Amino acid sequence: MAGPRRDTRGILDAPDLIARVHFRRREPAESLRPYLEHYWLIDWDLSEPYASHVVPHPSVNIVFQRYGDRPGFGEVAGIGLELFTKKLEGRGRVCGVQFRPGGFRPFAPGRPVSQWTGRRLPLADVLGGGVLECGVPEGGGSGDPAARILGPEDEDARVAALDAFLLGLRPEADPQADLAMSIAHRIRTDRTLRRVADVADIAEAEGLSVRGLQRLFAAYVGVSPKWVILRYRIHEALERAATATDVDWAGLAADLGYSDQAHLVRDFTATIGVPPTAYAR
């Protein structure tokens, strides 16, 4: 299994964010890697407020966060459908868990992942009341996972606390989750999969009809296959706009499976708020 991604796809103006905050990704314990993309850790101490903007991935996140001297807290963040903006000020710390698309359901098997889409909820509302005791060290300790995870100044200790918390949830093996993760991974990495019909061919080889594919994604990913395809298209366009000096937008639209450049511009503008050429400038 590959380590944490090195790209900054989804983060708008990533160099500016990284210049202002201490941002890094860490790998989870080996037994958690089939389900997780990575951990993401952010610390900041700002002299003036700063707004970060992210185009969310088709992933559920568990986010532990602390702002200033207020107590830390944890929440489950379902897949975000809109541009996510967060104002950072003063001092703060976040320790996040990004699941693979389809990888969250084994940790909360009782309900479809689509139930959390577009929502941010307290941990106990999604994972159950026993979540407070997950990862408590032998011999006792704080019943508040946010305190255990956000408290240590040592980064390795924070990663170990995240591992202990997630392992304490005892994810259940689920072949359907494995299938959803496999198909979602193909969508992200195989540039020939441009339409739902292309993905349906893969699903058919697994014995799934188009409707069965839709149900699988609703239950295990949280959004439709079409939405995943479109989101990864926008991430690719953002990456090109941020790193290339002279983008052939018509050529990129064709590469990404759009019918024409205007279609790409409409999707990009609806998601980011400005056309791709304006963002690139």
Side-chain angles (χ1 to χ4, degrees):
M1 192 68 68
R5 295 192 330 271
R6 295 186 178 275
D7 63 70
T8 55
R9 293 183 183 219
I11 302 175
L12 272 61
D13 200 358
D16 191 42
L17 173 70
I18 293 170
R20 295 169 184 267
V21 307
H22 185 203
F23 173 85
R24 58 269 192 220
R25 296 185 176 118
R26 293 289 302 268
E27 202 166 37
E30 186 171 358
S31 59
L32 293 168
R33 292 173 197 170
Y35 309 104
L36 272 58
E37 294 276 9
H38 50 250
Y39 298 141
W40 50 278
L41 311 178
I42 304 177
D43 294 272
W44 66 89
D45 189 353
L46 299 170
S47 57
E48 57 185 28
Y50 174 74
S52 65
H53 308 278
V54 177
V55 178
H57 289 254
S59 301
V60 175
N61 284 258
I62 290 179
V63 188
F64 296 96
Q65 46 206 308
R66 186 178 69 206
Y67 302 99
D69 296 325
R70 286 171 287 174
F73 64 97
E75 62 183 3
V76 172
I79 294 175
L81 300 177
E82 309 291 341
L83 182 69
F84 177 73
T85 298
K86 182 68 177 179
K87 183 180 179 181
L88 306 177
E89 53 188 337
R91 292 180 297 105
R93 171 173 292 169
V94 174
C95 296
V97 181
Q98 183 174 328
F99 291 84
R100 298 184 186 279
F104 179 71
R105 179 69 183 270
F107 294 81
R111 284 178 278 187
V113 177
S114 58
Q115 186 161 338
W116 321 123
T117 298
R119 305 171 69 191
R120 300 177 74 91
L121 297 162
L123 293 177
D125 288 5
V126 180
L127 301 173
V131 70
L132 295 180
E133 300 306 319
C134 290
V136 174
E138 187 175 348
S142 170
D144 177 9
R148 295 195 303 274
I149 291 165
L150 295 165
E153 288 304 316
D154 179 69
E155 184 177 310
D156 290 341
R158 276 178 260 162
V159 170
L162 284 167
D163 285 340
F165 172 76
L166 291 169
L167 290 169
L169 293 174
R170 296 181 174 85
E172 299 182 5
D174 185 340
Q176 290 295 97
D178 295 340
L179 177 58
M181 286 189 284
S182 174
I183 295 174
H185 180 72
R186 285 283 301 275
I187 293 173
R188 181 169 67 185
T189 58
D190 187 343
R191 294 287 297 278
T192 67
L193 302 180
R194 298 172 173 177
R195 290 171 287 275
V196 174
D198 301 326
V199 183
D201 290 341
I202 297 173
E204 186 177 1
E206 300 290 343
L208 282 178
S209 65
V210 172
R211 180 164 291 185
L213 174 67
Q214 299 282 0
R215 287 197 295 265
L216 176 73
F217 267 56
Y220 285 87
V221 180
V223 289
S224 70
K226 181 179 180 180
W227 193 94
V228 176
I229 292 169
L230 292 174
R231 181 47 51 94
Y232 283 140
R233 283 176 172 178
I234 293 298
H235 280 174
E236 176 70 17
L238 272 171
E239 191 79 355
R240 294 283 191 93
T243 58
T245 56
D246 187 17
V247 180
D248 175 5
W249 294 108
L252 178 59
D255 287 347
L256 296 178
Y258 283 100
S259 57
D260 53 35
Q261 181 178 343
H263 192 182
L264 167 60
V265 171
R266 285 196 299 272
D267 273 1
F268 192 103
T269 305
T271 304
I272 309 304
V274 296
T277 51
Y279 178 76
R281 288 197 299 269

